[in-house]
Amino acid sequence: MKKYFFLALCLLCLVIFAGGCIDDLVPVNKEDIKPEISEYEFEIFLNGSYDNGTLIPTSTFYLSKNGSAKVVSLVDNESIIDIIPLEDLSTSDNEVVSNVIMLGDFTNKTNSTPGSFTDFSLLEESSDINYTISDDVIRGQKHVFITFEQPFTGFVAYTMSTPPGQDFLYITTPPSVVRFVLPEGYTTGNSLIGKVKPSPDIIYSDNYGRENLVWNNEVTTSGFLSMLGSYSQEDEADIEPLPKLISVKFYTTSAPRDLSIAAVILGLVTLFVFSRYRAEKKRLKKIREDIENQIVVPKKKGKD
């Protein structure tokens, strides 16, 4: 009986070992795993996106708490998308940009009218556009580039890894229109809990009750660059505007109320402890005075 049990145990170990080897010998082709269009929201957001009929690159960031943001950009006649990520130790080993989907066509085959973007948003499959992802360090800052084989017009969606938590930082690449969509049930702007800098140009709630923050046409140069342009032979318009940092700390809509309740409870506890301390101090002082009053100081005897 023991012999059969030992034999069965050996066969079981052999099957487990062989199964592991088979998994190692048959590689998974990651290229066959394509992102689903349903992962993204292809909304026709064109608020302030046109300047004299020319589309300004418009990007929407759907924020989350799990260390990633879904980004959907509207581009016109673009060959390269420049992404400036902010990384920390938790994101250093992750792909900064992944799950890229494009809905659109080469610029020479389409145009950037709202009607064209509406048609692109209804596509059920990603457009067959070749692209490459590369990165470089410019002026000490990492850049990630999505490069198309030809100038492209339409939607470009991707997932960007971010530090986990409820803080999001983004460096703009002007000119651009930037929109942040906070998770449902979250807000921002409280000076104690979470701020947003710089202040958005537009704040509104969408049909899902999510708070939307919009910064329009970040095209102004810094004061130093403007002054430099006045002394330079080049036009100020030819001076490349500096990227601008947008930061937002978001929190649940109930957080201010919870913080107020916690502050009230903490205040009451502090008041109670202080009152007990004052009462105990008075009691000990009275005991000490009573003891001192009960002590009889002996009188000194005079000389004969």
Side-chain angles (χ1 to χ4, degrees), residues 43-70:
E43 180 185 354
I44 312 299
F45 179 77
L46 295 170
N47 191 347
S49 300
Y50 283 97
D51 183 12
N52 294 326
T54 301
L55 177 72
I56 297 173
T58 301
S59 297
T60 299
F61 295 79
Y62 296 90
L63 308 186
S64 69
K65 300 177 296 177
N66 61 2
S68 68
K70 304 288 186 180

Side-chain angles (χ1 to χ4, degrees), residues 84-137:
I84 308 177
L86 292 177
E87 301 177 288
D88 63 4
L89 294 177
S90 64
T91 61
S92 59
D93 296 332
N94 298 336
E95 287 184 291
V96 177
V97 174
S98 60
N99 301 330
V100 180
I101 279 184
M102 287 170 288
L103 301 181
D105 208 337
F106 296 125
T107 301
N108 58 6
K109 296 182 179 180
T110 185
N111 52 55
S112 58
T113 63
S116 297
F117 287 119
T118 300
D119 294 338
F120 295 150
S121 67
L122 299 177
L123 295 176
E124 297 181 355
E125 294 184 359
S126 179
S127 301
D128 187 16
I129 305 293
N130 292 328
Y131 67 91
T132 59
I133 298 178
S134 60
D135 60 80
D136 194 5
V137 177

Side-chain angles (χ1 to χ4, degrees), residues 11-266:
L11 290 175
L12 179 61
C13 294
L14 182 61
V15 170
I16 295 174
F17 177 76
C21 291
I22 291 174
D23 289 340
D24 292 337
L25 291 174
V26 181
V28 177
N29 189 354
K30 294 183 179 181
E31 295 182 354
D32 293 338
I33 305 176
K34 296 182 179 181
E36 295 290 338
I37 291 182
S38 59
E39 293 184 13
Y40 301 102
E41 299 180 36
F42 294 98
E43 180 185 354
I44 312 299
F45 179 77
L46 295 170
N47 191 347
S49 300
Y50 283 97
D51 183 12
N52 294 326
T54 301
L55 177 72
I56 297 173
T58 301
S59 297
T60 299
F61 295 79
Y62 296 90
L63 308 186
S64 69
K65 300 177 296 177
N66 61 2
S68 68
K70 304 288 186 180
V71 186
V72 178
S73 298
L74 287 161
V75 299
D76 175 29
N77 194 28
E78 293 290 343
S79 298
I80 298 177
I81 293 182
D82 184 6
I83 304 166
I84 308 177
L86 292 177
E87 301 177 288
D88 63 4
L89 294 177
S90 64
T91 61
S92 59
D93 296 332
N94 298 336
E95 287 184 291
V96 177
V97 174
S98 60
N99 301 330
V100 180
I101 279 184
M102 287 170 288
L103 301 181
D105 208 337
F106 296 125
T107 301
N108 58 6
K109 296 182 179 180
T110 185
N111 52 55
S112 58
T113 63
S116 297
F117 287 119
T118 300
D119 294 338
F120 295 150
S121 67
L122 299 177
L123 295 176
E124 297 181 355
E125 294 184 359
S126 179
S127 301
D128 187 16
I129 305 293
N130 292 328
Y131 67 91
T132 59
I133 298 178
S134 60
D135 60 80
D136 194 5
V137 177
I138 302 175
R139 299 172 186 173
Q141 175 63 52
K142 181 176 180 179
H143 290 242
V144 177
F145 302 98
I146 302 177
T147 306
F148 311 114
E149 58 178 326
Q150 294 183 34
F152 174 80
T153 294
F155 290 93
V156 179
Y158 56 89
T159 301
M160 183 171 67
S161 63
T162 63
Q166 296 171 209
D167 295 277
F168 184 75
L169 301 175
Y170 177 68
I171 301 178
T172 65
T173 51
S176 63
V177 176
V178 177
R179 177 175 62 151
F180 287 1
V181 179
L182 304 185
E184 188 174 351
Y186 283 77
T187 186
T188 186
N190 188 292
S191 58
L192 296 178
I193 305 176
K195 296 182 179 180
V196 53
K197 294 182 180 180
S199 298
D201 297 308
I202 302 173
I203 301 176
Y204 69 94
S205 295
D206 59 21
N207 296 331
Y208 299 98
R210 299 174 301 188
E211 192 165 316
N212 289 237
L213 316 173
V214 182
W215 292 262
N216 284 328
N217 305 342
E218 299 292 336
V219 296
T220 56
T221 58
S222 67
F224 173 76
L225 290 178
S226 298
M227 181 180 64
L228 181 62
S230 63
Y231 291 100
S232 174
Q233 296 180 354
E234 298 180 358
D235 294 335
E236 182 178 347
D238 295 332
I239 301 177
E240 182 181 356
L242 290 175
K244 189 171 187 178
L245 176 67
I246 297 177
S247 65
V248 58
K249 178 187 284 291
F250 52 98
Y251 48 85
T252 59
T253 53
S254 62
R257 181 198 62 194
D258 296 341
L259 182 63
S260 299
I261 295 175
V264 170
I265 294 175
L266 181 61

Side-chain angles (χ1 to χ4, degrees), residues 287-299:
I287 293 175
R288 186 185 65 183
E289 290 175 352
D290 292 343
I291 294 175
E292 290 177 351
N293 292 334
Q294 291 177 4
I295 297 176
V296 178
V297 180
K299 295 182 179 181

